[in-house]
Amino acid sequence: MIEPIGNQYVVARPVYSANAFGEEHKKKQRHHKTLLDHLKKLCRCSAQKAKNIAFSLFPIASWLPAYRIKEWLLSDIVSGVSTGLVAVLQGLAFALLVTIPPGYGLYAAFFPVIIYFFLGTSRHISVGPFPVLSMMVGAVVVRLTATDNTADSTFTNSSMTNDSSIDEQKVIVAATVTMLSGIIQLLMGVLRLGFVVIYLSESLISGFTTAAAIHVVVSQLKFMFQLTVPAHTDPFSLFKVLESVFSQIEKTNIADLVTSLVILVVVFVVKELNQRYKAKLPVPIPIELIVTVIATGVSYGFDFKTRFNVAVIGEMKPGFQAPVTPSRQTFQDTIGDSFGIAIVGFAVAFSVASVYSLKYDYPIDGNQIAGLLSAIIVLIVIVAIGFLLEPLQKSVLAALALGNLKGMLMQFAEIRRLWRKDKYDCLIWVMTFIFAVVLGLGLGLAASVAFQLLTIVFRTQFPKCSTLANVGRSNIYKNRKDYSEIGFRPLRILRKRNKALKKIRKMQKKGLLQVTPKGFICTVDGFKDSDEELDNDKIEELDQPINTTDLPFQIDWNANLPLNIVVPKINLHSLILDFSAVSFLDVSSMRGLKTILQEFIRIQVDVYIAGTDDDFIEKLTRCEFFDDEVKDSIFFLTIHDAVLHILMKKDYSTSKFNPSQEVEAKSDDFTISTNGGLRNRECQVPIETKF
């Protein structure tokens, strides 16, 4: 038994051995599923399972029937057209990173969008060429393509004869790598291997993409200066390229250099204006489109190709080119690189999609991989008007590619922030950047992941986490799954309550809900409200703490609410987290912990943490973890200390309640509901203690 005495407690219980405890408190027999059980479930077939699989593979079947044409069509048209125009330019620009003719970049801007339209689950990401992936594919193309400038060429398969052009060879390699990467991602989805993204932390991805941006900058110098630079893919290749560029700097084409610098400055300035005044601009200024049209017209009008010997895109044949078949040797040479590209591509896409899915509260599937209008714009360029871009200088595309790297280059600021919050994360960022710059993107990624895993092994072993429950009203706490189980999503409860609160306020303002000393009176039998109106509100409003100070009554969310208002009920008021096995938190987990605490606190569930050491709390304080919602008073030495604190707190709240106050209450100040969930603010009915 437990007997609280003031600020102390006395525990009286038998001295248990493991066997004695097992005899007195019988443990439930739980069947742990084996591989055979999972295979049986996987092979079991039903109509509902077939329907779920169809919706999982083709999400369009679930969202297209619910598409709100009047509300979304106009904005989707504007977004699709602008995205499509940018996709055309990025496809042309990023093709230079792959070292293939720019026209082929349009294919990469067209087919992924069409496929994602049917198979994608994120509403906000736009698939297509990405500079980091283009750079990684380009590294494979350079390494495997037999050119006079590559001394260590290994590209000898029979499909490429002496009559084949260098461009055709490059296209075959790029297409092979791209196809293999897609096959690997498809297999990862079938085998449910989306969990591999957890090995790529935020710090690693940030450091890797920043290093990739440096590679992109260096690779574009030859187009800006119009120099013949030998290709290098081995370690220290970046420094060899820089040496080659500066050793022949006197051969620079001034027209290309001036054009690229002017466009680069203009793009940076306008993008900064778009960012600074995004709240006032109806749509961002399409600076890439504007400078492309101007640069193409000037180059054609003044015949830059002939007068200044600038490098231009050249002939762009309308329509789709006939496919080529790579040899078996090509597949073998590119399979290793394709795996790394598939992992990085998945990690980047999933990270971006996760940010928006959390912000706008819709699910995404980490094991899969509204841009139809964007694809149509790209298709028009491919089949009809691509020839208009033939006079465009390659240096312009290089400048546009660099202009899109501002966000990645600004990630250098992460070093200072990570150093203050978590030095291990900072070290991972720096070492990832160094590995990727020095060793190249492929080897650099492998070395970075290995280094990150080494830091994890160094800091901790794999801790076990479980939900503990009080056993037999004693100071013993065991795994709750062995005895009972509950669960709910606090964020969902919070949003449901805020939506219900909007309805209650609306009913009161319309006079449909009247307050009297004896309770509340509803003047109508039913109240119809549009859920769509609530869903259209900014999602951020539904995630804020519940505020009922403007109402003359308090809402008991676990009681019956007026009329048709339904909110899920929860059967606990306090939650204790045992952190005795937690030795550290990195920046990502710290952010996740605070989000969890805020979600529970906002639905009136007190959260306490037990078993932490002083260094742990000091680090949270140093990282500015605490605020008005999450306070440092939630930490206790042991679980039992926290439990007794909860018991005393609830007993104190109960002692403050006096039933006689119901009679003395004033009607202009409050209302007490005898048939629902609205009650006097001062006379709070105690809730049953559960933990």
Side-chain angles (χ1 to χ4, degrees), residues 181-193:
S181 300
I183 293 175
I184 291 172
Q185 287 189 339
L186 184 62
L187 291 176
M188 290 173 60
V190 172
L191 299 176
R192 318 301 290 177
L193 297 179

Side-chain angles (χ1 to χ4, degrees), residues 25-30 480-485:
H25 302 280
K26 297 298 182 182
K27 191 173 183 180
K28 293 192 306 184
Q29 294 296 327
R30 290 192 296 148
R480 188 156 201 161
K481 290 185 178 180
D482 293 334
Y483 301 93
S484 62
E485 184 174 1

Side-chain angles (χ1 to χ4, degrees), residues 207 415 425-435:
I415 299 178
D425 274 345
C426 182
L427 182 61
I428 291 173
W429 195 104
V430 173
M431 295 306 299
T432 299
F433 177 82
I434 294 175
F435 286 147

Side-chain angles (χ1 to χ4, degrees), residues 402-662:
L402 297 183
N404 286 285
L405 297 178
K406 177 186 175 183
M408 288 193 288
L409 292 175
M410 292 297 292
Q411 291 179 138
F412 280 108
E414 290 287 299
I415 299 178
R416 181 180 179 183
R417 183 182 67 85
L418 291 174
W419 179 258
R420 293 199 314 264
K421 293 190 174 182
D422 192 293
K423 292 181 173 56
Y424 279 102
D425 274 345
C426 182
L427 182 61
I428 291 173
W429 195 104
V430 173
M431 295 306 299
T432 299
F433 177 82
I434 294 175
F435 286 147
V437 167
V438 175
L439 301 179
L441 296 179
L443 290 176
L445 177 62
S448 302
V449 173
F451 179 81
Q452 177 182 255
L453 293 178
L454 183 62
T455 63
I456 295 176
V457 173
F458 180 77
R459 286 187 286 178
T460 185
Q461 296 299 320
F462 308 96
K464 180 182 178 181
C465 301
S466 59
T467 303
L468 304 181
N470 180 267
V471 180
R473 298 294 294 173
S474 67
N475 65 337
I476 299 175
Y477 301 88
K478 304 293 287 185
N479 192 336
R480 188 156 201 161
K481 290 185 178 180
D482 293 334
Y483 301 93
S484 62
E485 184 174 1
I486 63 170
F488 62 91
R489 291 181 57 194
L491 183 59
R492 177 175 175 268
I493 301 295
L494 176 63
R495 290 174 176 171
K496 290 284 187 181
R497 289 184 178 182
N498 270 321
K499 287 184 179 181
L501 185 60
K502 288 177 177 287
K503 291 184 178 181
I504 292 175
R505 282 199 178 100
K506 186 174 295 186
M507 293 173 64
Q508 185 194 23
K509 290 180 180 179
K510 292 184 177 181
L512 304 180
L513 183 65
Q514 297 180 0
V515 178
T516 67
K518 297 182 179 180
F520 63 84
I521 299 176
C522 295
T523 59
V524 292
D525 295 332
F527 178 73
K528 301 294 184 180
D529 194 12
S530 173
D531 285 335
E532 293 182 0
E533 180 180 352
L534 295 175
D535 291 336
N536 292 336
D537 291 337
K538 293 182 179 179
I539 198 67
E540 290 83 357
E541 295 180 2
L542 301 180
D543 294 344
Q544 298 304 311
I546 297 174
N547 183 8
T548 60
T549 55
D550 59 327
L551 297 176
F553 46 76
Q554 185 177 5
I555 302 176
D556 182 0
W557 296 107
N558 286 328
N560 295 326
L561 298 177
L563 299 179
N564 61 340
I565 301 178
V566 178
V567 175
K569 298 178 176 59
I570 57 177
N571 61 351
L572 81 162
H573 55 69
S574 302
L575 176 67
I576 302 174
L577 303 178
D578 181 11
F579 269 37
S580 58
V582 178
S583 58
F584 75 97
L585 287 181
D586 59 13
V587 175
S588 302
S589 56
M590 200 178 301
R591 186 183 304 114
L593 174 62
K594 186 167 185 177
T595 300
I596 292 173
L597 296 179
Q598 289 176 332
E599 290 173 358
F600 276 103
I601 292 172
R602 291 175 182 179
I603 61 171
Q604 299 173 355
V605 174
D606 297 331
V607 184
Y608 303 92
I609 298 178
T612 62
D613 55 30
D614 294 337
D615 293 337
F616 182 88
I617 302 176
E618 289 175 2
K619 181 178 180 180
L620 295 182
T621 304
R622 189 168 61 251
C623 293
E624 301 177 352
F625 182 84
F626 303 107
D627 53 25
D628 293 336
E629 281 188 293
V630 181
K631 302 178 181 179
D632 58 0
S633 59
I634 64 176
F635 292 90
F636 286 83
L637 293 179
T638 66
I639 297 175
H640 206 59
D641 288 325
V643 170
L644 293 182
H645 170 80
I646 294 171
L647 292 176
M648 289 187 292
K649 180 179 179 181
K650 295 305 174 183
D651 288 342
Y652 176 73
S653 298
T654 304
S655 65
K656 289 182 64 177
F657 175 72
N658 184 358
S660 63
Q661 291 177 350
E662 291 185 17

Side-chain angles (χ1 to χ4, degrees), residues 196-202 204-205 343-344 347 351 445 449 452:
V196 297
V197 74
I198 66 176
Y199 295 105
L200 303 178
S201 66
E202 292 181 11
L204 187 146
I205 292 177
I343 295 297
V344 175
S351 299
L445 177 62
V449 173
Q452 177 182 255

